[in-house]
Amino acid sequence: THTQQQSYRPNWHYTGIGMQPLLPRLARRCLVAAPVVHSALLIQSPLKPAWAPMRGLMSSALLRTRVQSHTLTHTHYSEGPLAVYDGLRHTGKIQRDDHQREVVVKLQTLCTELRGHASDTEPDTPASTSFFGKLFGKATPPPSPSKKIRGLYLHGDVGAGKTMLMDLFYNAAQPTTKRRVHFNEFMLDVHSRIHTWKQTRDRSATDYDPIPPVARAIAQEASLLCFDEFQVTDVADALILRRLFTCLFRRGVVVMATSNRVPDDLYKGGLQRHEFVPFIALLKDQCEVVNLSSGRDYRTLALQSAVPRHTYFHPSSISLTATHQTPTQQLEQVFLDLTRGCPPPHKDVLTILGRTFPVPRATGGVAWITFAGTCMKETSSGDYLALCDKYHTIVMADIPRLSLSLKDAARRFILFIDCLYDRKVRFVCSAEVPTDLLFTLERSELPSHSSRQLLDDLGLKSGELPSLFTGEDEVFAFRRTVSRLREMQTQPYWDACAAARATH
């Protein structure tokens, strides 16, 4: 069984950044004007007094190793990622790409440095309990490890091969402990741990600050953190990253990350970005920044020769023209075909840490859901991962064109597709428009009145709209989503899903 996340609204006042006069007002407005910060605001954890349940919450389910490419084998992993990469190239499973191989050489070097590496898990020296110690004292952090290992921040365009190289590196790396996780999932866990820590401490206690103990708990679990899709879009995440990663790096945790953006463009145009900028310098100091882009989109090249499946239905799709059926009718037919011979469909309800997620129809490992019931409500990756754990195929009806007015739903849909893709779950859907028109940003769509009130509170002018309101982050992230949606419509992807299920 896989434990999942639930929703809560964290106490913004104790983020540790000097925004206390603004945050109560910002938090109230964000829930109405910009619920887009949901990945930080919509996480909840049961109030548990110990760290062990929290470690299990992410370690056993959300953070387990997942190999994405079915072409990879474990034959030469002990020799490092370079041997595996060269083997794939010599057998013709991947194309020759000298620039990509240069990056693999860097990964090989990092693997060598990481062999046997352990992070520092010693507790911080507590502050004095005397009156003046409580007033002025702070816990002393552990000393920095004598051997500093720089990680790697790998950025590049969609289809450049970032996921494949992450697979190679993660499976070959041999530190004492390691963990791989989608960055959004990692931040969900961090906020959940912070919430739990605060619930077990009095605000007047000297150890109330949750960041050092959270960082220590993470360092105990992994001396190497591998992040897929490193992207910062939520103000709540941005405000704690510098302090959190300062503690992690001080304890010797090494980071390997993939991203579509260079570090300097992270959280670009975000609210209170000046509080986030020091983290960029920290990240660049602790990780070598490497550009993987070589001008090739391997995912698109693979799709050109892949056998397509009719799994994405919209009014102008070829399959509909031939059958004269509406997208909904075609989707109903596919659902019947996928569940033929199974018991009659029934309503299902998933329970995620006491919170429920309804599934209108389900049978035989196939679930029928709607876009409105999944992405128009306050849902999070915990709900999507629960779906992935129970069903091998998801059928989603009625995806609308995602404009700026539906930006919050678009963000949830991006996260939803990421979860399905990472877990190798088959996806069939009906939509209003083709994939390349699914997300459009119309400049005429201006912020709502409540959003303008929030901008006034922040002292911003209409020409200074942060990405929270312009949708630029969504446009950027949706390139990846469209690419993945296209891949999910091919026979090789469905075969990979079957292979992944067979190994569990």
Side-chain angles (χ1 to χ4, degrees), residues 5-18:
Q5 300 281 359
Q6 194 177 358
S7 306
Y8 86 96
R9 287 177 170 77
N11 186 343
W12 289 58
H13 188 78
Y14 292 94
T15 56
I17 305 295

Side-chain angles (χ1 to χ4, degrees), residues 242-464:
R242 178 173 59 87
R243 292 192 62 228
L244 174 67
F245 277 85
T246 295
C247 293
L248 289 174
F249 289 140
R250 184 180 290 124
R251 288 187 173 277
V253 175
V254 178
V255 168
M256 158 63 176
T258 65
S259 178
N260 290 338
R261 291 200 167 194
V262 297
D264 289 332
D265 286 346
L266 291 172
Y267 198 52
K268 193 173 183 178
L271 293 172
Q272 299 293 319
R273 189 173 189 265
H274 65 277
E275 299 281 3
F276 174 78
V277 169
F279 169 73
I280 296 176
L282 175 68
L283 183 64
K284 291 162 71 173
D285 177 66
Q286 295 289 331
C287 297
E288 181 181 0
V289 179
V290 178
N291 183 4
L292 182 60
S293 297
S294 61
R296 301 181 187 179
D297 185 343
Y298 289 106
R299 187 175 291 156
T300 299
L301 291 173
L303 292 179
Q304 292 174 355
S305 59
V307 178
R309 291 186 64 99
H310 296 308
T311 58
Y312 184 99
F313 303 103
H314 57 89
S316 59
S317 59
I318 298 176
S319 58
L320 298 180
T321 304
T323 61
H324 303 290
Q325 291 180 310
T326 66
T328 301
Q329 290 172 334
Q330 187 72 63
L331 199 65
E332 288 281 3
Q333 184 61 52
V334 172
F335 183 78
L336 289 174
D337 293 341
L338 289 171
T339 59
R340 198 176 303 279
C342 298
H346 62 279
K347 291 183 179 180
D348 196 5
V349 178
L350 304 183
T351 302
I352 306 99
L353 294 178
R355 189 168 55 82
T356 59
F357 183 92
V359 177
R361 281 187 279 170
T363 184
V366 181
W368 174 290
I369 60 177
T370 65
F371 179 88
T374 305
C375 300
M376 297 293 286
K377 297 181 179 179
E378 292 185 346
T379 54
S380 68
S381 63
D383 303 306
Y384 314 146
L385 291 169
L387 284 168
C388 295
D389 289 337
K390 188 165 186 178
Y391 304 107
H392 58 71
T393 304
I394 303 294
V395 178
M396 174 178 277
D398 304 326
I399 303 174
R401 183 182 69 89
L402 299 172
S403 62
L404 186 57
S405 61
L406 294 176
K407 187 157 62 71
D408 300 329
R411 284 198 175 186
R412 296 187 187 105
F413 184 69
I414 290 169
L415 185 57
F416 172 76
I417 294 300
D418 281 346
C419 290
L420 265 60
Y421 186 87
D422 290 343
R423 292 295 180 89
K424 288 294 177 283
V425 173
R426 301 187 298 185
F427 184 57
V428 186
C429 66
S430 64
E432 182 181 354
V433 293
T435 53
D436 56 345
L437 300 177
L438 196 54
F439 187 87
T440 57
L441 178 61
E442 297 180 2
R443 294 297 178 180
S444 59
E445 296 181 79
L446 299 176
S448 64
H449 175 69
S450 54
S451 297
R452 289 186 179 280
Q453 286 182 320
L454 177 58
L455 292 178
D456 291 339
D457 291 341
L458 298 173
L460 298 176
K461 301 177 182 178
S462 59
E464 301 172 341

Side-chain angles (χ1 to χ4, degrees), residues 55 229 260:
R55 287 199 295 269
E229 309 296 348
N260 290 338

Side-chain angles (χ1 to χ4, degrees), residues 98-301:
D98 292 338
H99 175 66
Q100 194 177 72
R101 191 180 187 279
E102 291 176 2
V103 176
V104 179
V105 171
K106 294 180 180 292
L107 295 175
Q108 178 72 37
T109 301
L110 182 55
C111 273
T112 302
E113 294 177 340
L114 281 169
R115 190 178 297 274
H117 174 68
S119 53
D120 187 340
T121 60
E122 291 299 317
D124 297 338
T125 303
S128 172
T129 57
S130 67
F131 173 78
F132 289 103
K134 290 182 178 180
L135 188 62
F136 301 108
K138 292 184 178 180
T140 303
S144 299
S146 56
K147 179 185 177 183
K148 176 181 176 180
I149 301 176
R150 289 189 79 199
L152 203 66
Y153 182 98
L154 193 61
H155 67 91
D157 295 331
V158 172
K162 298 185 294 296
T163 299
M164 182 192 72
L165 296 194
M166 175 68 89
D167 291 339
L168 293 176
F169 172 76
Y170 184 83
N171 286 286
Q174 297 182 36
T176 54
T177 52
K178 60 181 180 180
R179 183 156 296 144
R180 178 177 178 179
V181 60
H182 192 285
F183 188 70
N184 284 341
E185 294 178 15
F186 175 76
M187 292 310 300
L188 286 171
D189 178 46
V190 167
H191 286 290
S192 187
R193 292 174 189 251
I194 288 174
H195 177 69
T196 300
W197 178 265
K198 290 178 179 178
Q199 294 298 319
T200 60
R201 296 293 185 276
D202 186 89
R203 293 186 179 184
S204 61
T206 57
D207 63 347
Y208 184 74
D209 181 7
I211 298 298
V214 165
R216 181 185 175 223
I218 294 171
Q220 287 177 326
E221 298 165 6
S223 55
L224 169 65
L225 284 174
C226 292
F227 294 124
D228 290 303
E229 309 296 348
F230 197 107
Q231 184 176 4
V232 183
T233 57
D234 291 343
V235 62
D237 292 349
L239 294 177
I240 66 171
L241 280 176
R242 178 173 59 87
R243 292 192 62 228
L244 174 67
F245 277 85
T246 295
C247 293
L248 289 174
F249 289 140
R250 184 180 290 124
R251 288 187 173 277
V253 175
V254 178
V255 168
M256 158 63 176
T258 65
S259 178
N260 290 338
R261 291 200 167 194
V262 297
D264 289 332
D265 286 346
L266 291 172
Y267 198 52
K268 193 173 183 178
L271 293 172
Q272 299 293 319
R273 189 173 189 265
H274 65 277
E275 299 281 3
F276 174 78
V277 169
F279 169 73
I280 296 176
L282 175 68
L283 183 64
K284 291 162 71 173
D285 177 66
Q286 295 289 331
C287 297
E288 181 181 0
V289 179
V290 178
N291 183 4
L292 182 60
S293 297
S294 61
R296 301 181 187 179
D297 185 343
Y298 289 106
R299 187 175 291 156
T300 299
L301 291 173

Side-chain angles (χ1 to χ4, degrees), residues 470-486:
T470 62
E472 291 178 1
D473 283 325
E474 287 74 18
V475 172
F476 200 92
F478 217 76
R479 290 178 55 203
R480 178 183 75 249
T481 302
V482 168
S483 178
R484 289 184 167 182
L485 280 173
R486 289 171 177 165

